[in-house]
Amino acid sequence: MNRRDCLKLTALPLVAQRQENAVETEIVRLNLRHTWTTTMSSSEFRETLHLGFRSQGTTGRGEGAPIVRYKESAQTAQKAVQSVAGYLKTADPWKFSKVLGEVFRRIDGEWAAKAAIDIALMDWVGQKLDVPLYRYFGLDPRDAPVTTFSIGMDKPDVVRQKIREAEQFPVLKIKVGLDSDEEMLASVRAATKKPLRVDANEGWKSREEAVRKINWLESQGVEFIEQPMPASMIGDIRWVRSKVHIPIIADEACLHPRDIPELATAYDGVNVKIDKCGGMLEAFRMIQIARSLGLKVMLGCMVSSSVAVTAAAHLSPLADYADLDGNLLISNDPHTGVLVEKGKLILPNRPGLGLLPAKGGV
Ligand code: MG
C-alpha cells in the first residue's frame, strides 16, 4: 500500500464522525383559546419559532416566542437562526456553553431565536446524559411552585367564564393597565375570592395613579403588582415603592443579567423569561444574580407551546412565583411536557425536556 492509499484509509473513520448536524426551523401558528388582550395588543393566535437540532442520532427541540415590544417576529427569529445554521451544523453540542457564547456573539438581538437554540441544545444534552433537565441543574422537582393562570382583559361575562375554566388554579393573574381596571377587577372579585397577582404591563403613566391603584389592589387581596409603570421610569418606581406595601416585580424592565443590579434599587423582584433573555442558561444566570441581590424571583413565559414552557418549568424549583401558563392558553399544542395538578407544576421525569407528541397533535 502506498502512502496516499494509507492516508485515505485512516481518514475514513474521521470523515464518518464528522457527519453534519441537522438544524430545522418551522414557524408554528398557535391558536389562542380566547382572544388575548393586554395593554400592548389583542390577538387570536401567536406564531413561535420551533427548532429541531439533530446530532449523533438524537434530536433536541427548542422554541422561541418573539416579543413584538422588542421588534421581533417569528420571521426575524427564523432568519437569525438561519444565519448561524452553518455554524451549528458543524458545532459540537457537548460544548454547548461555548456554542451558545458564539451564537450570542454572532446574532444581534433576536432573543427568541437564541432561546430556541439554547433550549434545543439543552434538550439534546439532557437526552444524551439520560437525565431530566431539572436534574442537570441540580433541582428538586418537588420544589416546583404553583403556577398562576392568566385572565386576559375582557367583558365581565367572558371574565366569569375564564375564571370557571381556571377552577384548578389556586392563584390567578389578572391583566390591568387600562382606564377600566376597577371594572375588570370588580368582575373578577364577583366571581372568585382566590388570591390574585396583577400585571399592569407598564400601563400606568403617572406615579400618583400607580400608588392609588396599587393601594386599592392591596385592599382587594392582590399579592403583588408586576410592572406598574413604563420600564424606563425607574425613579418613579422607586418613589411608588416607598408608598405601597405589596411587592413590585419588574418584567418589561428586566431583560438580561446586566439589568438586575439597578432594578434591585427600585423593585422587590424580577420576572425572568427565557424568551426575553435568550434561553435556559441565561435565565439560570439571572436567577442567581437576582438571588444574590435579595430579589424575589418570578418565572414567566410568553404564549407558546409546551416546548418553551417546559424549558422554563425545569428551572421553576428556583422561583418564588411561577406564571407558566402559556401552553394552556392555546388549543393546538404540538407537544406535552410539564403538567399542572391543582395549580402545581409537575415536571416530566423523562430525559431532557421530557417532551412527548401531543395526543392527536399536529
Ligand atoms: Mg408581565
Side-chain angles (χ1 to χ4, degrees):
M1 187 184 294
N2 65 29
R3 187 169 173 273
R4 183 176 290 176
D5 288 342
C6 181
L7 279 174
K8 265 188 199 164
L9 278 174
T10 51
L12 274 174
L14 286 175
V15 171
Q17 279 173 12
R18 266 196 244 120
Q19 193 175 20
E20 280 199 343
N21 309 317
V23 179
E24 286 177 6
T25 58
E26 183 188 2
I27 295 172
V28 176
R29 179 174 286 203
L30 303 170
N31 299 318
L32 290 157
R33 292 182 187 276
H34 291 284
T35 305
W36 184 247
T37 306
T38 70
T39 55
M40 287 180 270
S41 62
S42 183
S43 52
E44 307 282 339
F45 65 87
R46 293 288 170 84
E47 286 181 336
T48 61
L49 183 71
H50 288 237
L51 190 148
F53 174 84
R54 186 163 184 81
S55 180
Q56 301 164 42
T58 298
T59 300
R61 297 196 180 283
E63 179 184 19
I67 305 179
V68 177
R69 186 183 188 279
Y70 311 120
K71 301 187 170 51
E72 295 181 7
S73 69
Q75 289 72 25
T76 61
Q78 189 172 42
K79 269 190 198 142
V81 172
Q82 284 163 352
S83 74
V84 293
Y87 168 68
L88 291 173
K89 279 177 186 168
T90 56
D92 178 357
W94 284 115
K95 297 173 184 153
F96 55 92
S97 276
K98 176 178 173 169
V99 173
L100 287 165
E102 185 61 20
V103 165
F104 273 51
R105 194 184 68 75
R106 291 184 185 211
I107 297 178
D108 189 22
E110 299 295 344
W111 302 99
K114 289 168 181 154
I117 296 168
D118 166 291
I119 296 168
L121 286 176
M122 297 315 295
D123 185 31
W124 185 93
V125 168
Q127 290 182 62
K128 281 294 187 196
L129 293 173
D130 200 26
V131 293
L133 282 173
Y134 66 75
R135 180 171 287 188
Y136 170 86
F137 284 98
L139 305 176
D140 184 343
R142 290 172 300 184
D143 294 339
V146 297
T147 177
T148 45
F149 187 80
S150 297
I151 308 288
M153 293 171 176
D154 227 311
K155 297 188 206 79
D157 58 324
V158 182
V159 168
R160 276 195 295 278
Q161 190 199 330
K162 288 179 177 177
I163 288 172
R164 277 198 298 276
E165 290 172 14
E167 194 182 356
Q168 71 149 319
F169 295 88
V171 187
L172 301 179
K173 174 166 158 174
I174 310 295
K175 297 276 190 179
V176 297
L178 298 177
D179 291 341
S180 56
D181 289 345
E182 275 96 346
E183 193 188 336
M184 169 77 187
L185 202 80
S187 57
V188 171
R189 268 291 166 245
T192 180
K193 292 193 164 43
K194 287 176 182 176
L196 303 175
R197 297 170 186 168
V198 165
D199 189 354
N201 286 117
E202 311 182 280
W204 302 325
K205 305 302 179 203
S206 91
R207 58 190 195 171
E208 290 78 13
E209 181 189 18
V211 169
R212 186 171 55 75
K213 289 206 163 159
I214 293 170
N215 283 329
W216 177 74
L217 288 169
E218 186 187 2
S219 74
Q220 299 296 308
V222 168
E223 290 184 337
F224 66 71
I225 177 81
E226 206 180 316
Q227 203 63 58
M229 302 182 72
S232 59
M233 297 176 74
I234 189 162
D236 293 276
I237 293 283
R238 210 171 281 127
W239 185 84
V240 169
R241 190 189 184 197
S242 72
K243 308 279 181 205
V244 303
H245 307 105
I246 58 175
I248 304 178
I249 309 289
D251 182 2
E252 285 82 355
C254 182
L255 308 183
H256 307 295
R258 63 175 175 268
D259 299 329
I260 299 177
E262 190 186 11
L263 296 175
T265 68
Y267 292 84
D268 300 286
V270 290
N271 184 349
V272 174
K273 294 179 184 165
I274 50 180
D275 301 288
K276 287 190 297 185
C277 68
M280 296 183 77
L281 291 185
E282 200 74 343
F284 184 78
R285 265 178 224 122
M286 290 180 77
I287 293 168
Q288 306 304 327
I289 293 169
R291 285 279 178 235
S292 73
L293 294 166
L295 290 167
K296 294 274 187 195
V297 171
M298 175 177 178
L299 259 180
C301 65
M302 306 306 292
V303 172
S304 48
S305 81
S306 283
V307 179
V309 175
T310 302
H314 277 284
L315 296 175
S316 71
L318 291 168
D320 299 292
Y321 315 114
D323 180 29
L324 298 178
D325 62 351
N327 56 333
L328 306 175
L329 303 173
I330 60 172
S331 58
N332 60 337
D333 193 340
H335 302 276
T336 56
V338 62
L339 300 176
V340 178
E341 279 177 19
K342 294 180 182 160
K344 188 173 163 62
L345 295 164
I346 309 295
L347 308 187
N349 60 8
R350 296 176 292 271
L353 290 173
L355 298 172
L356 295 173
K359 280 188 192 128
V362 291

